Every structure is written in structure tokens, then in C-alpha cells.
Amino acid sequence: MTADTSAAAPRQKMRVDDPNAALRAHPAKMALGLGGMVVVIWFLANLFLAFGYYPEKFGSKFVIAVLAIIGGVGGAALIFYFLNMFVEALPRRLSEGVIPYAFLLPGLLLVGLMLIYPTFQTINYSFANSDSTAYVGLQNYKTIFSDPEFWQSVVNNILWLLIVPAVVVAFGVIVAVLSDKLSAGGEKVAKSMIFLPMAISAVGASAIWLLIYAYNNPGQPQTGLLNAIWVGLGGEPQTWLAIDTLKLNSILLMVILIWLQAGFAMVLLSSAIKGVPEDTVEAARIDGATELQIFWKVIIPQIKGTIITVFVTVFITVLKIFDIVYVTTNGAYGTNVIANLFFNKLFAASEAGQATAIVVVLLIAVTPLIWYQIKHFRDEEAGR
């Protein structure tokens, strides 16, 4: 009797500790996870639709903002909680293979909803009429390509692209190298002052520089810094942003963006310079190289990847430049750019078809640069 009991015990234990149990799916847990995600998404969708269609029911915009933050953050946490529950309930092999894609899926869906769908919709609307009610074929493209203002905007964009990225990178490298020569306290102060404009929006920066370019009639005190200096040197006050000679007004607008982006370039390039091995610099000094030779032949080649990354990033920013031109001149006096032309076509002229055609042209121009930046990043990662 005792032997029979002892013989049965191991068999019972084997049934409880079944090694395949962990490999099986858990349907109840899967259903709970899937159902939880559906309920949370349904609730958030209705909540945010209510914000748009029935804002009066929430009392004030402040309440809507608070609910949006709570709903957005809390809803995202719940979605990932139920998603994790669903994935863990799958068979182990399937779960381990699916889990990276499962957690990337919400982000990819959001990118698709906010970026990919509007892109194809914009391309679709570029073949439609001014109110997007009927297709007109390539008429919008024929109209913008025959418009002198469009080509003037293209020329201005090209000037911005030729000048701003190069100056930003050059200034960033110079400041990064020189600031590294200062004491620790001096370096912090210098870099903080140069980086400070990055905290200002393009609209705010444009307002600040409008004060610098301000014009008062001759004989009156010049409140604009540039005119104050010019008059102090014996000249007459100028409406600087109206001077199209040699594209002076466009160059003065470029100064604003250079002022904003120099800090960005300095921070990245300074980090790259600090990462240059000190032994290579010391070896160059021992070989008799001057500081200028060390800079060009030792430091620059080793931070080339960062320079390209900064250049391409600023290049793409310049290609989409809008805020500065809109706030300062709104494209007047020959300063228009493609993004500002699009804005005026869409909202001032109510020409949605032409506006979206301009955007498609801009998108085509940006795509090779984005592809190059991604390729360069991958090449850098592969070389590490």
C-alpha cells in the first residue's frame, strides 16, 4: 500500500509540473488583454472627440487640458499594460518573437496617422481644385511653375541653403574649439550664453531682431540698434528689411536663424571635439604640428561625422523655413520662401490646390536629404 502511494506521487507531480505548460497560450488572459485595449482606445477616442465637438460641456479649456493630459498619459499606460498582458498570454515562442513589434506598433500607428496618411492626402489634394472638390490634373503644378513669385521663392530658399548651414557649422566649430580653451567656469558661461537663443521660439527671435532692424525717420532717435550704429557712423537711417540689393534683406533674416541654431551646432560639435583622443593631438604636437594644423588635420577629420549630421539637420530646417520670414516681412521686398508662399496661398488666397502642390515640391526636395541623413547615420553605427 505504501509502495503504491509512493509510486503514484511522482506521477501526480509530473502532471502538475508539466514542462509544456509554460509554452501554451492562456485564452482568458489574452481575451482580457485584447478587450482591455479595445475599451481604453474606444474611451480615449470618444473623449478626444468630445473635446472637439462639445467643449462647452467641460466648462473651460483648463479642464479640457487637464483631462487631455490625464487621459493621454494614463490611457497610454493602460494600453501598454493590456498589450503586455495580451502578449504574455501567447505561447512562449510566439510571445518572445512578437513582443518587440507589439510595443512598437502603437508608435508606428501614430506615425502613420499623423505623418504618412497626411502625406498621401496632400499629394492627392495637389491634383484637385482650390476647394478640393474636383480633380484638375496637373493644372496646379503648371500654375505654380509659371508663377514668378514661386521661382523667386525657390532662389531665396537656395540662398538660405547655401549660406545658413555652412555659417552655422563654421560658427559652431569655432565656438566649440575656443570655449574648450577657457577655464571650466568660463566655458560654462560662454556656452550657456551662446546656447540661450535655442530656448527662444523663431517667432520670439524674429520680434527681438525686428527691434534691432527698427527704422525711425531721419532726425528722430534711432531705437533700432543697427540704425543707431549706422547713424552714429554718419549714415542715414535705412529700412533694412526693404533693401533687396544683393539680397541684403534676406541675409539679415538669415542672421536670425544663424543666431538661433549656433548653440545647437556648438553643443554637438563640442561633444565631438571632447571625444577626440588626446593621444592623437599630443602625437601631432610631438611631430611639430602647429595648432592650426592640428585643428585641420587631426580634429576636423575625427569629427567629420558630427559635422555632416549637424549640417544636414540645419539644411533640412532651412529648407522648411517659415516663421522668421512670416513674422518679419511676410515675403515682401523679395524675401519670400517656399513655406511662406504655401501659407499665403492656402490661407490668404484660398488656393488649396496650388498650396498643396507647393508642399509636394518641398517634400520632393527634402526626401533625398532625409534619405542621406538616415544612410549616413546607419554607416556611422555600422562603423562603431
Side-chain angles (χ1 to χ4, degrees):
M1 187 74 177
T2 305
D4 291 340
T5 305
S6 60
R11 288 197 295 272
Q12 179 66 24
K13 186 176 181 181
M14 288 177 62
R15 286 196 295 271
V16 172
D17 298 335
D18 186 351
N20 295 322
L23 302 178
R24 298 196 186 106
H26 302 276
K29 197 174 179 181
M30 287 174 58
L32 181 60
L34 186 60
M37 282 191 292
V38 171
V39 170
V40 172
I41 292 171
W42 175 86
F43 175 78
L44 290 178
N46 281 277
L47 179 64
F48 285 102
L49 285 173
F51 290 159
Y53 288 103
Y54 309 105
E56 68 280 356
K57 294 185 179 296
F58 297 93
S60 68
K61 292 182 179 180
F62 177 77
V63 175
I64 293 176
V66 171
L67 289 175
I69 294 172
I70 295 173
V73 176
L78 284 173
I79 288 173
F80 280 105
Y81 173 78
F82 286 115
L83 177 61
N84 185 65
M85 182 185 297
F86 174 79
V87 172
E88 285 185 343
L90 296 171
R92 179 177 293 176
R93 287 185 181 178
L94 182 59
S95 176
E96 291 174 353
V98 165
I99 196 164
Y101 302 99
F103 281 93
L104 286 173
L105 185 61
L108 293 175
L109 289 175
L110 194 61
V111 169
L113 180 64
M114 298 296 179
L115 292 178
I116 298 175
Y117 171 73
T119 298
F120 285 103
Q121 191 72 304
T122 299
I123 295 171
N124 179 45
Y125 285 154
S126 70
F127 299 105
N129 58 8
S130 59
D131 56 359
S132 303
T133 57
Y135 287 105
V136 294
L138 296 173
Q139 184 58 45
N140 291 320
Y141 292 94
K142 293 178 182 177
T143 302
I144 64 171
F145 286 138
S146 61
D147 184 1
E149 189 175 12
F150 172 78
W151 291 110
Q152 184 186 60
S153 301
V154 170
V155 170
N156 287 337
N157 264 101
I158 292 172
L159 286 176
W160 279 74
L161 294 171
L162 291 174
I163 295 173
V164 175
V167 174
V168 167
V169 170
F171 192 74
V173 170
I174 292 170
V175 172
V177 171
L178 294 180
S179 62
D180 284 345
K181 305 293 184 184
L182 300 173
S183 63
E187 181 183 359
K188 290 179 181 178
V189 172
K191 287 184 175 179
S192 297
M193 294 297 292
I194 295 170
F195 187 76
L196 192 60
M198 283 290 294
I200 305 173
S201 68
V203 173
S206 301
I208 292 170
W209 282 84
L210 279 175
L211 297 175
I212 295 175
Y213 299 145
Y215 166 84
N216 286 331
N217 292 325
Q220 295 180 347
Q222 296 299 318
T223 57
L225 178 62
L226 189 55
N227 266 322
I229 295 172
W230 185 252
V231 171
L233 294 174
E236 290 293 319
Q238 303 291 326
T239 52
W240 297 104
L241 297 183
I243 301 175
D244 193 21
T245 306
L246 299 177
K247 290 294 180 181
L248 177 62
N249 49 5
S250 291
I251 292 172
L252 292 175
L253 297 184
M254 295 176 201
V255 170
I256 303 174
L257 187 58
I258 293 169
W259 182 66
L260 286 172
Q261 293 292 318
F264 162 76
M266 175 204 65
V267 169
L268 294 184
L269 293 169
S270 179
S271 299
I273 290 171
K274 287 183 182 297
V276 174
E278 189 64 29
D279 54 353
T280 60
V281 177
E282 289 300 324
R285 287 198 179 103
I286 292 172
D287 289 342
T290 64
E291 290 299 317
L292 195 60
Q293 288 174 326
I294 291 172
F295 175 74
W296 284 110
K297 296 184 178 181
V298 177
I299 295 176
I300 291 297
Q302 294 191 69
I303 64 170
K304 181 181 176 182
T306 305
I307 289 175
I308 293 174
T309 299
V310 172
F311 184 90
V312 173
T313 302
V314 177
F315 197 94
I316 294 173
T317 301
V318 172
L319 196 56
K320 302 181 294 182
I321 190 67
F322 162 73
D323 318 63
I324 293 171
V325 175
Y326 178 74
V327 172
T328 52
T329 63
N330 196 22
Y333 315 115
T335 60
N336 214 357
V337 289
I338 292 176
N340 192 66
L341 179 63
F342 151 75
F343 182 86
N344 287 328
K345 285 284 187 183
L346 182 60
F347 294 103
S350 299
E351 287 287 349
Q354 294 180 33
T356 49
I358 292 170
V359 170
V360 172
V361 172
L362 184 60
L363 176 66
I364 293 171
V366 171
T367 300
L369 296 170
I370 296 175
W371 174 83
Y372 174 79
Q373 189 175 30
I374 294 172
K375 181 179 181 298
H376 172 70
F377 177 77
R378 287 179 175 173
D379 290 344
E380 272 196 330
E381 290 297 312
R384 289 183 179 179

